[in-house]
């Protein structure tokens, strides 16, 4: 009986770290499950022939000569469930995607569908087969002229430099340090153990190692199979990436635009360690690994590292990074006041800081939160610090929220201190009564705004009474300094306010909140309200639409409940989803909530301001924060996330876990509107050392991408006490597609050196009415059950007639978009690709099949035409015929969309503008129609819904046209580069169209 080798349980010395190791593994053979068209699976032993020309399996009822596939007949090797048989419903849930692979072979493009015991076994077979398909029976050690030795010769040269005595040996300790220097993050004990293993196996124990043993140790320790597998996929010779290979990888897989061979040469020069590789433009496995780990290949889009959003909108249209009790490093009541907390918060881009002023013992105000006067900080010290650090991390306006608890004489001193210290930075200009909105962050650059109470215009004295703010009452009561003049039940508490302090308040005048109707009718744009977390939470649940509408014009500040005596944090997403700009966080308290806040404010150059989603800014728009599904006019998207592996994961802090090895798993969480909140976890990687392999695919539907945040959390399954290992939080809009490393952070948000997750990210548009991952479901739904977005009746005849004219254009817009979407998915599936694949990948895949044939390509692309037809040259196999039909459908639906979109777009915008003409007349029309109460509310909601739907569907159509044009560009580009294009010089699309939408008018 032949020996079955399980890849996942191979001893370390059999680690697959080269093509040669894959071939060796295949020559030994292993058990795989063969999947038949009737959805039944049979266990068979698969082995590569010794001459490396055929793949055989046994037992088989067929003749032994028929139970084989010749390597030269293989057209393609696919990873995952990428054929109709593997996608069939009877099998799809029986094994994970990463354990399946298919071999497409023969002139009729038949498929041999196989399931392995683990993703590692799949990797070994796929890597080996792809190599053999490219190079036939060339020895894997020498497919070219010495190219595979690129790596070996480099490692040997490193060894020679370390061999100071030129004896051909170096001490083990020096060898360990050398490998550690080449692979930062690897444990010394791991390297030492590897040398002991190799010395024992070769019976060469001792305190020194020779060059060959050093090379072997390096290759086994520093080759990451998942990256080697990736290199083999794109490499022309399966051992390194040439400039064309690297260009293809960056364009097709990483989604980079405008990549040139010069740019690729820069990457090779920067990351390839071997001199020969740099000179010849080759990126071998070590250079490729270094590149993938580098900042140049970050998961965080570099465009977002600088200010990239429109900063000329009114201040109320931004989320503002805000701190509550920033001076505290411990908890609210038992911590000591410490000015370093202010420096830390300002350094992180915080743009709103709270200062609670108390009477100081020496006649000048102090800032403190502890009854012990010894822990207080003089107010002038804090203001001096703010003056020094206010604009160190961000040039945009800083808002100082003053909570006044000191006497009028000390208030005067505080006002003098602010004027004298801050000088020109202090914004004192009175608000413009003719304006409707606050100035923009751009207009207020470098200025400090004071948020606080203001004396009424009727008060002419040097001081007067104003209503106290809710915020701080609980604090004052706990500190035994409550205002004795405000007995229970006597209405709002009153405090004395000096004119000098009152005059410093301009654009952020604190006023008490009454109700939304009163605010709509009487609140000025420069007035703002503070809400307790409990009160704001009630509004967010009971009347979210009104809170969103309120926040379009006015700033609102949410402060934590006084019951949070441990300085814990509220979830900022609960209030961001309703448009609340300033959610005050306890910066000194790490954890999930602070991760969300810190991650969120990274997306606009960490300047402390983030532009809110358009649907929350437009004057007339329908948005329900508690929506359970996609929003009208906002394109829902699918996030396809593959968690591949982890690197150098530390043990949980304070963990009493048994042994040194962690048993990690990864949780991926989406935080956003309720419809988007979701969490998926990978399986636990058992006994995997510091570099676990997960190889697991997760999928999320994102209905409001602009408000979504992705958080990775790595946890330990084998723990006693603390299970937290690491985390990383990133706004959805900042994700870069492709293969990326996630730089893991500690609970406090500090980088963990060399600790990463290796992931693959793909984002696709969700197809109408379906989550898009069940094969063909949407394509088969047909027009009868297609979901169409429609307008709603307002109950006002003249307005409803206008919106009724949009019924047909809305249906046409949906049909145009979804016909293309369905045709695209069908074409991608027949190419053996996922919905996340791009058009260039599809064309290159078809070209790969054709160019593996002995004869001339049987299918060509006629690039002389704007909509290039794919033409058969003579008879072609059934699979290719289906591909051609699917391609033709995709081209025709794209053509219809491109040629019809502008007319339909015009009708939608015309109906939307006609509706907006009624907007200013609405109060008058409402009165005429006698609408009140619930009927009035319903009419206003329906009107906003209709305007949002028309604008949104028009934008979606415009976006779909831009994507269709981009697909045409990709077809021309791929056709030219892969050899199946004809009449290339006549390409009508010389430059790539940009899929940009016009900014939404305010």
């Amino acid at each position: 009986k032949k020996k079955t080798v399980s890849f996942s349980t191979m001893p370390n010395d059999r680690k697959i770290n080269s093509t040669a190791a894959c071939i060796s593994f295949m020559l030994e053979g292993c058990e795989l499950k063969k999947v038949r068209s009737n959805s039944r699976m049979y266990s068979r032993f698969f082995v590569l022939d010794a001459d490396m020309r055929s793949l055989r399996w046994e037992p088989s009822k067929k003749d032994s000569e028929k139970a084989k596939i010749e390597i030269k007949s293989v057209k393609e090797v696919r990873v995952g469930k990428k054929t109709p048989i593997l996608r069939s419903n009877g099998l799809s849930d029986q094994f994970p995607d990463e354990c399946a692979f298919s071999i497409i072979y023969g002139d009729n493009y038949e498929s041999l569908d196989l399931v392995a015991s683990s993703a590692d076994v799949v990797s070994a077979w796929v890597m080996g087969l792809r190599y053999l398909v490219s190079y036939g029976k060339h020895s894997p050690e020498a497919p070219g002229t010495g190219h595979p030795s690129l790596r070996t010769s480099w490692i040997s040269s490193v060894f020679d430099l370390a061999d100071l005595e030129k004896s051909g040996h170096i001490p083990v300790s020096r060898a360990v340090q050398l490998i550690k220097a080449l692979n930062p993050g690897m444990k010394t004990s791991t390297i030492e153990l590897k040398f002991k293993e190799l010395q024992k196996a070769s019976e060469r124990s001792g305190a020194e190692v020779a060059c060959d043993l050093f090379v072997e140790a390096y290759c086994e320790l520093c080759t990451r199979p998942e990256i080697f597998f990736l290199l083999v996929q794109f490499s022309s010779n399966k051992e390194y990436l040439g400039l064309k290979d690297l260009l293809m990888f960056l364009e097709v897989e990483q989604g980079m635009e405008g990549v040139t061979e010069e740019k690729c040469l820069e990457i090779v020069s920067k990351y390839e360690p071997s001199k020969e590789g740099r000179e010849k433009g080759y990126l071998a496995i070590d250079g490729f690994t270094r590149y993938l780990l580098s900042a140049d290949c970050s998961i965080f889009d570099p465009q977002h590292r600088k200010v990239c959003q429109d900063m000329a909108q009114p201040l109320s249209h931004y989320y503002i990074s805000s701190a509550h009790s920033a001076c505290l490093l411990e908890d609210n009541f038992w911590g000591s006041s410490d000015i370093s907390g202010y420096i830390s918060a300002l350094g992180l881009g915080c743009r709103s800081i709270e200062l609670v002023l108390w009477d100081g013992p020496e006649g000048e105000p102090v800032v403190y939160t502890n009854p012990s006067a010894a822990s207080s900080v003089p107010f002038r010290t804090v203001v001096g610090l703010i003056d020094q650090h206010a604009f160190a991390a961000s040039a945009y306006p800083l808002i100082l929220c003053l909570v006044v608890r000191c006497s009028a004489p000390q208030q005067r001193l505080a006002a003098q201190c602010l004027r004298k210290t801050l000088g020109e930075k202090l914004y004192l200009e009175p608000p413009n009564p003719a304006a409707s909105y606050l100035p923009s962050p751009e207009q207020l650059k470098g200025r400090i705004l004071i948020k606080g109470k203001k004396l009424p215009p009727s008060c002419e004295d040097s001081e007067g009474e104003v209503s106290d703010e809710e915020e701080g009452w609980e604090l004052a009561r706990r500190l035994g300094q409550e205002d004795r003049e405000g007995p229970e039940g006597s209405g709002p508490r009153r405090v004395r306010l000096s004119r000098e302090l009152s005059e410093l308040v301009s654009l952020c005048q604190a006023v008490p909140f009454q109700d939304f109707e009163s605010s709509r009718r009487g609140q000025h744009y420069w007035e703002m309200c503070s809400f307790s977390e409990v009160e704001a939470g009630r509004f967010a649940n009971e009347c979210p639409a009104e809170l969103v509408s309120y926040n379009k014009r006015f700033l609102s500040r949410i402060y934590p409940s006084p019951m949070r005596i441990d300085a814990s944090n509220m979830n900022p997403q609960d209030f961001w989803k309703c448009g609340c700009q300033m959610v005050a966080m306890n910066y000194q308290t790490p954890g999930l909530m602070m991760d969300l806040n810190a991650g969120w404010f990274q997306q606009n150059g960490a300047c402390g301001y983030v532009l809110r989603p358009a649907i929350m800014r437009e004057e007339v728009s329908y948005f329900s924060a508690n929506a359970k599904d996609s929003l009208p006019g906002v394109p829902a998207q699918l996030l396809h996330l593959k968690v591949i592996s982890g690197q150098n994961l530390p043990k949980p802090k304070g963990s009493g876990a048994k042994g040194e090895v962690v048993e990690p798993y990864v949780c991926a969480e989406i935080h956003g509107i309720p419809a988007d909140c979701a969490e998926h976890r990978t399986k636990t990687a058992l006994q995997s050392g510091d570099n676990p392999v997960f190889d697991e695919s997760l999928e999320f539907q994102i209905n409001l991408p602009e408000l979504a945040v992705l958080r990775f959390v790595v946890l330990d399954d084998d723990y006693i006490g603390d299970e937290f290992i690491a985390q990383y939080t990133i706004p959805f809009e900042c994700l870069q597609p492709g293969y990326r490393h996630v730089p893991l952070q500690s609970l406090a948000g500090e980088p963990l050196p060399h600790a990463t997750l290796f992931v693959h990210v793909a984002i696709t548009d969700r197809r109408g009415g379906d989550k898009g991952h069940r094969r063909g479901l949407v394509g088969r739904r047909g027009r009868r059950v297609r979901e169409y977005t429609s307008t709603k009746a307002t109950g006002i005849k003249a307005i409803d007639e206008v919106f009724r004219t949009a019924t047909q254009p809305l249906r046409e817009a949906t049909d145009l978009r979804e016909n293309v979407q369905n045709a695209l998915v069908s074409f991608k599936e027949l190419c053996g690709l996922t919905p996340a694949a791009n058009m260039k990948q599809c064309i290159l895949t078809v070209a790969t099949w054709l160019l593996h044939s002995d004869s001339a390509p049987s299918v060509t692309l006629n690039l002389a035409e704007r909509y290039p037809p794919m033409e058969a040259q003579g008879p072609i196999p059934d699979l290719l015929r289906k591909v051609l039909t699917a391609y033709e459908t995709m081209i025709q639906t794209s053509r219809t969309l491109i040629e019809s979109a502008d007319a339909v777009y015009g009708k939608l915008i015309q109906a939307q503008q006609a509706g907006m003409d009624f907007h200013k007349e609405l109060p008058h029309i409402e009165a005429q129609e006698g609408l009140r109460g619930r009927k009035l509310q319903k009419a206003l909601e329906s009107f906003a819904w209709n305007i949002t739907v028309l604008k949104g569907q028009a934008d979606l159509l415009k976006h779909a046209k831009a994507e269709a044009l981009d697909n045409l560009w990709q077809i021309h580009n791929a056709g030219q580069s892969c050899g199946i294009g004809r009449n290339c010089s006549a390409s009508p699309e010389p430059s790539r169209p940009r899929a940009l939408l016009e900014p939404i008018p305010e």
Side-chain angles (χ1 to χ4, degrees):
K1 188 186 174 187
K2 286 205 171 130
K3 183 175 136 191
T4 303
V5 181
S6 167
F7 183 78
S8 52
T9 55
M10 275 184 193
N12 283 338
D13 61 343
R14 284 297 311 279
K15 186 175 178 180
I16 299 292
N17 56 18
S18 69
T19 319
C22 295
I23 304 286
S24 169
F25 173 63
M26 291 161 65
L27 287 166
E28 279 194 34
C30 77
E31 201 168 272
L32 299 170
K33 286 189 169 66
K34 185 169 177 275
V35 185
R36 292 260 182 90
S37 55
N38 59 7
S39 295
R40 295 184 67 179
M41 293 196 283
Y42 301 88
S43 285
R44 297 288 181 262
F45 190 86
F46 284 78
V47 66
L48 179 67
D49 269 357
D51 62 4
M52 292 191 269
R53 292 186 180 186
S54 301
L55 172 68
R56 297 179 182 273
W57 60 92
E58 56 182 49
S60 171
K61 291 177 184 174
K62 292 181 182 176
D63 182 285
S64 64
E65 283 306 300
K66 288 185 179 176
K68 70 171 187 177
I69 292 174
E70 289 192 357
I71 298 297
K72 69 178 184 183
S73 74
V74 174
K75 307 288 186 191
E76 185 194 3
V77 185
R78 296 180 185 175
V79 185
K81 302 171 191 173
K82 302 279 176 58
T83 62
I85 290 174
L86 288 177
R87 283 198 196 100
S88 65
N89 292 332
L91 287 172
S92 56
D93 299 328
Q94 289 187 29
F95 48 86
D97 192 69
E98 56 271 13
C99 286
F101 69 106
S102 302
I103 301 167
I104 312 297
Y105 67 97
D107 292 338
N108 291 323
Y109 292 78
E110 295 170 67
S111 71
L112 173 64
D113 299 297
L114 303 166
V115 178
S117 57
S118 75
D120 296 333
V121 178
V122 172
S123 297
W125 278 100
V126 172
M127 244 193 280
L129 285 167
R130 282 178 176 166
Y131 175 84
L132 291 172
V133 167
S134 299
Y135 284 97
K137 63 172 192 159
H138 285 303
S139 160
E141 278 75 26
T145 52
H147 294 323
S149 67
L150 197 68
R151 186 186 200 196
T152 310
S153 57
W154 165 66
I155 303 166
S156 301
S157 69
V158 170
F159 179 89
D160 292 340
L161 285 171
D163 181 11
L164 304 174
E165 298 80 18
K166 303 303 170 195
S167 63
H169 292 79
I170 60 171
V172 171
S173 57
R174 195 183 301 165
V176 169
Q177 289 309 311
L178 204 50
I179 288 182
K180 200 168 169 59
L182 292 169
N183 203 324
M186 187 171 286
K187 285 181 181 172
T188 305
S189 57
T190 307
I191 306 170
E192 288 172 342
L193 186 65
K194 175 55 64 183
F195 277 120
K196 281 179 186 169
E197 277 178 18
L198 293 176
Q199 283 180 326
K200 188 179 177 183
S202 60
E203 298 177 354
R204 287 188 286 177
S205 57
E208 295 197 326
V209 293
C211 185
D212 62 333
L213 197 129
F214 178 79
V215 171
E216 191 179 351
Y218 178 87
C219 289
E220 292 197 8
L221 286 166
C222 303
T223 307
R224 285 174 47 190
E226 71 275 25
I227 291 183
F228 188 76
F229 181 44
L230 187 58
L231 181 138
V232 168
Q233 271 183 275
F234 284 88
S235 168
S236 305
N237 82 336
K238 309 302 170 195
E239 292 294 341
Y240 59 77
L241 296 174
L243 295 181
K244 283 190 165 59
D245 301 332
L246 181 56
L247 190 144
M248 190 67 70
F249 171 73
L250 296 176
E251 273 198 348
V252 169
E253 203 55 70
Q254 303 298 87
M256 286 173 67
E257 293 181 10
V259 189
T260 60
E261 287 198 14
E262 289 73 29
K263 171 69 180 168
C264 295
L265 194 56
E266 277 177 39
I267 291 171
V268 172
S269 303
K270 189 172 177 182
Y271 296 105
E272 174 53 41
S274 72
K275 188 181 175 190
E276 185 190 350
R278 291 194 297 273
E279 287 170 353
K280 293 183 175 176
Y282 299 154
L283 193 64
I285 180 67
D286 299 289
F288 190 43
T289 304
R290 287 180 182 188
Y291 171 64
L292 287 173
L293 280 164
S294 73
D296 288 345
C297 199
S298 168
I299 190 169
F300 192 96
D301 187 339
Q303 287 186 348
H304 289 271
R305 295 206 182 280
K306 54 186 184 296
V307 175
C308 56
Q309 295 177 345
D310 177 7
M311 300 305 284
Q313 305 267 348
L315 208 60
S316 58
H317 286 184
Y318 297 84
Y319 297 111
I320 303 171
S321 180
S322 306
H324 178 255
S325 309
C327 63
L328 297 181
L329 295 180
E330 296 293 330
D331 59 51
N332 272 353
F333 299 107
W334 320 121
S336 62
S337 302
D338 184 321
I339 56 175
S340 65
Y342 288 111
I343 301 172
S344 170
L346 289 169
L348 291 168
C350 177
R351 296 288 82 197
S352 167
I353 281 183
E354 177 190 41
L355 300 176
V356 187
L357 277 62
W358 301 90
D359 277 334
E362 295 174 14
E364 66 170 304
V366 294
V367 175
Y368 72 91
T369 53
N370 192 306
S372 154
S375 70
S376 65
V377 180
F379 178 66
R380 61 182 158 77
T381 305
V382 176
V383 175
L385 199 76
I386 288 169
D387 179 54
Q388 197 180 339
H389 296 277
F391 301 106
S394 169
Y396 293 100
L398 175 67
I399 301 171
L400 295 185
C401 302
L402 297 187
V403 180
V404 180
R405 291 280 169 267
C406 60
S407 59
Q410 294 207 10
Q411 289 176 31
R412 291 189 190 99
L413 288 175
Q416 288 166 19
C417 173
L418 286 165
R419 278 183 186 272
K420 184 180 175 184
T421 310
L422 302 179
E424 290 294 308
K425 293 175 188 167
L426 209 53
Y427 186 89
L428 300 173
E429 296 162 34
N432 176 7
S436 301
Y437 285 92
L438 287 161
S440 70
E442 191 61 45
Q443 290 169 303
L444 296 169
K445 241 180 176 177
R447 307 303 291 273
I448 295 175
L449 313 180
I450 304 295
K451 178 239 172 197
K453 289 287 179 180
K454 203 165 173 66
L455 290 173
S458 57
C459 175
E460 296 176 2
D461 299 334
S462 63
E463 59 183 72
E465 276 199 345
V466 293
S467 62
D468 194 4
E469 289 197 69
E470 289 275 344
E471 189 172 3
W473 279 8
E474 184 70 15
L475 180 62
R477 187 179 65 73
R478 283 171 181 265
L479 299 182
Q481 297 186 13
E482 62 265 60
D483 184 357
R484 290 172 183 80
E485 294 174 22
E488 289 294 320
S490 64
R493 226 171 257 252
R494 312 289 291 176
V495 291
R496 303 293 293 175
L497 180 67
S498 75
R499 178 164 297 281
E500 287 89 338
L501 205 55
S502 169
E503 285 173 350
L504 299 183
V505 177
S506 168
L507 293 178
C508 298
Q509 183 181 335
V511 296
F513 179 77
Q514 293 173 321
D515 56 65
F516 290 116
E517 186 55 35
S518 303
S519 296
R520 190 163 73 97
R521 295 186 187 282
Q523 189 172 332
H524 298 109
Y525 71 82
W526 60 83
E527 295 174 331
M528 64 175 287
C529 300
S530 290
F531 301 89
S532 76
E533 160 190 4
V534 175
E535 185 182 25
R538 183 162 52 80
F539 291 146
N541 287 326
E542 293 175 8
C543 42
E546 287 177 274
L547 188 53
V548 170
S549 183
Y550 172 87
N551 285 320
K552 287 178 185 178
R553 276 192 66 207
F554 310 116
L555 287 175
S556 60
R557 181 174 185 272
I558 317 300
Y559 57 89
S561 162
M563 301 309 290
R564 292 184 183 273
I565 59 170
D566 58 350
S568 59
N569 276 307
M570 50 193 164
N571 186 344
Q573 284 275 6
D574 290 345
F575 308 104
W576 290 339
K577 71 181 184 183
C578 295
C580 299
Q581 298 89 349
M582 300 159 70
V583 183
M585 304 293 285
N586 287 308
Y587 269 59
Q588 72 276 20
T589 310
L592 164 62
M593 304 315 172
M594 203 55 219
D595 291 344
L596 294 177
N597 193 76
W600 178 252
F601 283 104
Q602 291 297 310
Q603 67 182 291
N604 192 25
C607 75
Y609 285 82
V610 168
L611 189 61
R612 295 185 316 176
I615 201 167
M616 292 187 183
R617 304 192 314 262
E618 293 166 315
E619 190 180 354
V620 181
S621 65
Y622 177 88
F623 172 68
S624 171
N626 296 326
K628 294 285 187 283
D629 200 359
S630 54
L631 303 163
V634 179
Q637 296 189 305
L638 286 174
L639 170 63
H640 310 263
L641 187 66
K642 186 171 188 181
V643 182
I644 302 167
S645 59
Q647 292 73 45
N648 306 312
L649 300 181
K651 280 189 71 176
K653 258 187 179 173
S655 158
K658 307 178 288 294
E660 278 301 305
V661 179
V662 293
E663 294 191 342
Y665 62 96
V666 179
C667 273
E669 307 165 349
I670 292 288
H671 298 266
I673 59 170
D676 292 345
C677 291
E679 177 185 314
H680 295 311
R681 61 157 285 180
T682 66
K683 59 183 178 291
T684 300
L686 300 170
Q687 298 296 318
S688 57
D690 306 325
N691 303 297
V693 173
F694 301 103
D695 244 332
E696 209 153 331
S697 299
L698 314 172
E699 190 175 276
F700 298 90
Q701 180 175 317
I702 316 289
N703 294 291
L704 185 55
E706 289 173 280
L707 207 58
V709 175
L710 170 63
R711 183 172 184 255
F712 295 94
V713 195
V714 187
L715 301 165
D716 186 9
D717 231 358
D718 179 34
Y719 75 97
I720 300 168
D722 186 11
E723 61 175 342
F724 178 89
I725 295 173
Q727 65 84 25
Y728 181 73
T729 308
I730 180 171
F732 181 80
E733 298 279 274
C734 298
L735 284 171
Q736 287 216 96
Y739 288 93
R740 308 284 172 183
H741 280 92
V742 177
L744 295 172
Q745 298 175 346
S746 68
L747 190 63
E750 293 152 354
L752 293 169
H754 314 298
T756 54
L757 286 178
F758 187 44
V759 301
H760 181 265
V761 176
I763 297 164
T764 57
D765 288 338
R766 190 198 74 159
R767 292 179 282 157
D770 180 63
K771 287 200 174 180
H773 61 276
R774 290 190 182 278
R775 176 184 180 269
L777 194 60
V778 177
R780 291 178 190 150
R781 289 166 72 107
R783 189 168 293 214
R784 287 181 299 106
V785 290
R786 180 167 284 170
E787 293 175 13
Y788 292 100
T789 306
S790 57
T791 55
K792 294 181 177 179
T794 61
I796 301 167
K797 190 178 178 186
I799 295 176
D800 285 342
E801 280 177 4
V802 165
F803 288 132
R804 211 170 284 127
T805 62
T807 305
Q808 190 56 32
L810 278 172
R811 292 180 70 87
E812 287 173 19
T814 303
D815 285 338
L816 287 171
R817 285 189 298 106
E818 294 205 5
N819 288 346
V820 172
Q821 277 283 357
N822 292 338
L824 274 170
V825 171
S826 297
F827 179 54
K828 288 173 186 178
E829 284 189 353
L830 282 165
C831 292
L833 298 167
T834 66
N838 60 35
M839 187 51 60
K840 193 164 187 176
Q841 283 171 292
C842 296
I843 302 301
L844 294 174
T845 299
V846 174
T848 306
W849 302 345
L850 298 168
L851 299 174
H852 277 162
S853 301
D854 296 329
S855 54
S858 52
V859 171
T860 56
L861 271 172
N862 184 356
L863 299 181
E865 297 189 28
R866 189 185 185 199
Y867 302 96
M870 199 179 268
E871 298 163 344
Q873 312 296 317
I876 55 171
D878 187 44
L879 177 69
L880 268 185
R881 176 73 58 202
K882 285 179 182 173
V883 169
L884 257 64
T885 306
Y887 174 85
E888 181 62 25
T889 306
M890 185 265 300
I891 283 289
Q892 288 309 322
T893 54
S894 298
R895 181 174 188 161
T896 307
L897 166 66
I898 291 165
E899 293 175 355
S900 312
D902 290 350
V904 177
Y905 176 85
K907 290 177 190 172
L908 292 172
I909 291 299
Q910 189 180 352
Q912 188 240 0
Q913 288 170 348
M916 283 301 290
D917 290 344
F918 284 104
H919 181 238
K920 287 180 181 170
E921 300 298 316
L922 268 181
H924 177 64
I925 298 170
E926 290 160 10
Q928 269 188 334
E929 298 278 334
L931 295 174
R932 290 187 189 85
R934 182 76 194 111
K935 279 190 176 178
L936 173 60
Q937 186 64 30
K938 190 89 171 58
L940 290 172
E941 268 186 23
S942 296
F943 182 82
W945 165 276
N946 294 344
I947 294 294
T948 307
V949 160
L950 292 172
K951 178 77 173 71
Q953 292 296 313
D955 281 347
L956 286 178
L957 186 59
K958 196 182 211 178
H959 181 68
K961 179 185 173 182
E963 281 199 337
L965 288 168
D966 188 60
N967 280 337
L968 287 183
W969 180 88
Q970 288 189 48
I971 290 168
H972 277 98
N973 187 279
Q976 286 175 10
S977 64
C978 70
I980 64 166
R982 290 191 294 111
N983 310 316
C984 297
S985 57
S987 169
E989 299 287 343
S991 62
R992 185 169 198 165
R994 301 292 300 161
L996 293 175
L997 298 181
E998 292 168 6
I1000 289 160
E1002 290 304 322

